[in-house]
Amino acid sequence: MKKQTAFMIMALFFVSFNLRTSIAAISPVLESVRADLHLSNGIVSLLTAIPVICMGLFAFFAVKISARFGLERTIAACLVLIGVATALRAFSHSAFTLLFTAFFIGIGIAIAGPLVSGYIKQQFPHQIGMMIGIYSVGMGLGASFSAGLMLPLQKHLNNSWQLALASWSIFAVIGFLFWYPQMVKHREIALTSKIPTLLPWKNKKAWMFTLLFGLQSGIFYTISTWLAPIAQSMGFNGTQSGTLITFFTIIQMIFSFLIPSLADLYKNEKAWLLSSIGFVLIGLLLFLYPLVTPWIATGLIAVGLGGLFPLALALPLNATNSSQEASAWTSMMQGIGYIIGGIIPIIAGLIRDYISYDKQVFVMMMILCCIMIIALSRWKEKSSVPSNS
């Protein structure tokens, strides 16, 4: 039984590993892509924007598709879609091919994400925090590996960014091989579990979860987008600002496993969420009033965001009774949440254009943290599980 559980955890890890690799791999070769295909910066930016937008828009369809084909088989199909679309990048000799693959990679990620949460609810109902931590670490490692190894990989493959991008499809194959036994094992359940679950549009708690997820996503993407430029405006050179981003990513990844695992042992969702927001808020405040080095401030923000993402992912799992219901809540939360998360960095950019104060983005993120604290202060945890209505 322990061996079987370990294999299930490995399957979960490799599925989650594939949910960020193809997006993160684009960033290091953006300039090569732009130059080789003679693209504008606006078109090139769509290569990362399209998957994130799809992650929001297509998450709403996850529950209906899962109800029709079964949770495990749908996740397997998403891995195939991500793998095929990634492999097709080997033939990317036009902007259309790259945008086409980005679109279908986004669809695969959008549908798989909520269903992985449903799978965790179904298979690990008493270890939700730890499994969400593994899920988060898998995505973080996938993003870090693909971004960090792209340039060496490109150099090794005769300087072909097309082959370097396509090579990440091998992890979709590995993920599918690990996931296939889960699909076979649950085939009979999948064929008999086709009762559709509606998205919880009228549930106030589901909307609060959506707000929290969207705001923490927005803060994360804003930090990812603007931390390096702001650090450079504070006197960091290019190498130092890049190292600061790497430091942020490593700390966040460590605590994305540690905090939800501790939350499994000491169960108080509200306290863990408030503590994580507090770390982010203190870190942002230390950027405004630099009493310590930016490295410490960045580390505090990374600790907080490392906890916020998996804790937010776990909220629908702890508030629902079944894997189908958990997937429905997660579909709504991620669908609207990722759209919010994609819009906030754009707002941050506009604020930087029109407000001369050089740390205005940190003020905006502090306001978002305060909104999350206010929302949580109105949340009264109950032992009973709410319905969808």
Side-chain angles (χ1 to χ4, degrees), residues 15 19-20 51-79 81-82 103-119 135 179 326-328 330-332 334-335 338:
V15 169
L19 299 185
R20 291 295 181 272
V52 176
I53 293 170
C54 287
M55 283 159 61
L57 294 178
F58 287 92
F60 299 116
F61 298 97
V63 176
K64 287 187 177 181
I65 295 173
S66 175
R68 174 68 179 85
F69 298 104
L71 187 149
E72 288 80 9
R73 288 198 294 176
T74 303
I75 293 175
C78 289
L79 284 173
L81 181 60
I82 293 169
F103 178 72
F104 283 100
I105 287 169
I107 292 175
I109 295 171
I111 294 172
L115 300 185
V116 171
S117 292
Y119 178 79
Y135 176 29
W179 190 257
S327 294
T330 306
S331 293
M332 174 177 156
Q334 292 190 10
Y338 276 126

Side-chain angles (χ1 to χ4, degrees), residues 8-9 39 46 48 58 73 76 116 166 194 199 223 230 234 236-237 239 242 246 281 320 323-324 358-359 372 374:
M8 290 167 65
I9 292 172
L39 304 177
L46 291 176
T48 51
F58 287 92
R73 288 198 294 176
V116 171
K194 295 182 179 179
L199 299 184
I223 286 288
I230 291 174
M234 297 171 64
F236 280 51
N237 60 36
T239 302
T246 303
L281 202 52
T320 53
S323 62
Q324 293 91 345
D358 62 346
K359 297 176 183 177
M372 285 194 284
I374 292 170

Side-chain angles (χ1 to χ4, degrees), residues 353-372:
D353 285 338
Y354 291 102
I355 299 178
S356 58
Y357 178 54
D358 62 346
K359 297 176 183 177
Q360 66 286 84
V361 172
F362 293 112
V363 175
M364 183 199 78
M365 289 188 287
M366 289 179 67
I367 293 172
L368 297 181
C369 286
C370 291
I371 293 173
M372 285 194 284

Side-chain angles (χ1 to χ4, degrees), residues 62-294:
V63 176
K64 287 187 177 181
I65 295 173
S66 175
R68 174 68 179 85
F69 298 104
L71 187 149
E72 288 80 9
R73 288 198 294 176
T74 303
I75 293 175
C78 289
L79 284 173
V80 172
L81 181 60
I82 293 169
V84 171
T86 303
L88 285 175
R89 288 182 161 177
F91 310 99
S92 298
H93 301 294
S94 68
F96 174 79
T97 307
L98 276 177
L99 295 175
F100 177 84
T101 58
F103 178 72
F104 283 100
I105 287 169
I107 292 175
I109 295 171
I111 294 172
L115 300 185
V116 171
S117 292
Y119 178 79
I120 291 172
K121 173 71 174 181
Q122 175 181 286
Q123 298 297 328
F124 304 98
H126 304 298
Q127 296 90 31
I128 285 174
M130 182 177 291
M131 293 304 110
I132 285 289
I134 291 171
Y135 176 29
S136 302
V137 169
M139 287 194 290
L141 284 176
S144 300
F145 274 39
S146 59
L149 297 177
M150 263 303 293
L151 293 179
L153 193 58
Q154 180 186 4
K155 185 177 180 180
H156 183 72
L157 295 170
N158 297 320
N159 209 36
S160 171
W161 54 262
Q162 290 95 336
L163 291 177
L165 287 174
S167 65
W168 294 102
S169 61
I170 188 66
F171 285 99
V173 176
I174 295 171
F176 183 85
L177 292 176
F178 271 92
W179 190 257
Y180 183 77
Q182 308 305 314
M183 183 179 68
V184 173
K185 187 172 84 172
H186 297 282
R187 181 175 292 169
E188 291 183 8
I189 298 174
L191 291 174
T192 58
S193 301
K194 295 182 179 179
I195 302 172
T197 304
L198 299 177
L199 299 184
W201 296 115
K202 297 180 180 179
N203 192 294
K204 292 181 179 179
K205 181 174 283 190
W207 277 106
M208 190 198 71
F209 293 171
T210 300
L211 176 67
L212 291 172
F213 186 85
L215 294 182
Q216 68 82 27
S217 293
I219 293 172
F220 170 76
Y221 286 118
T222 300
I223 286 288
S224 300
T225 303
W226 295 109
L227 180 59
I230 291 174
Q232 290 173 12
S233 72
M234 297 171 64
F236 280 51
N237 60 36
T239 302
Q240 289 173 327
S241 61
T243 305
L244 188 67
I245 292 291
T246 303
F247 172 71
F248 169 80
T249 303
I250 292 171
I251 296 298
Q252 187 202 17
M253 206 182 316
I254 293 171
F255 282 89
S256 70
F257 177 77
L258 183 60
I259 290 178
S261 298
L262 289 173
D264 259 353
L265 297 175
Y266 307 99
K267 298 183 183 296
N268 190 326
E269 291 176 290
K270 188 173 179 179
W272 285 106
L273 284 163
L274 286 171
S275 298
S276 296
I277 296 169
F279 274 103
V280 176
L281 202 52
I282 293 170
L284 293 170
L285 193 62
L286 288 175
F287 265 109
L288 291 181
Y289 303 98
L291 303 175
V292 295
T293 171

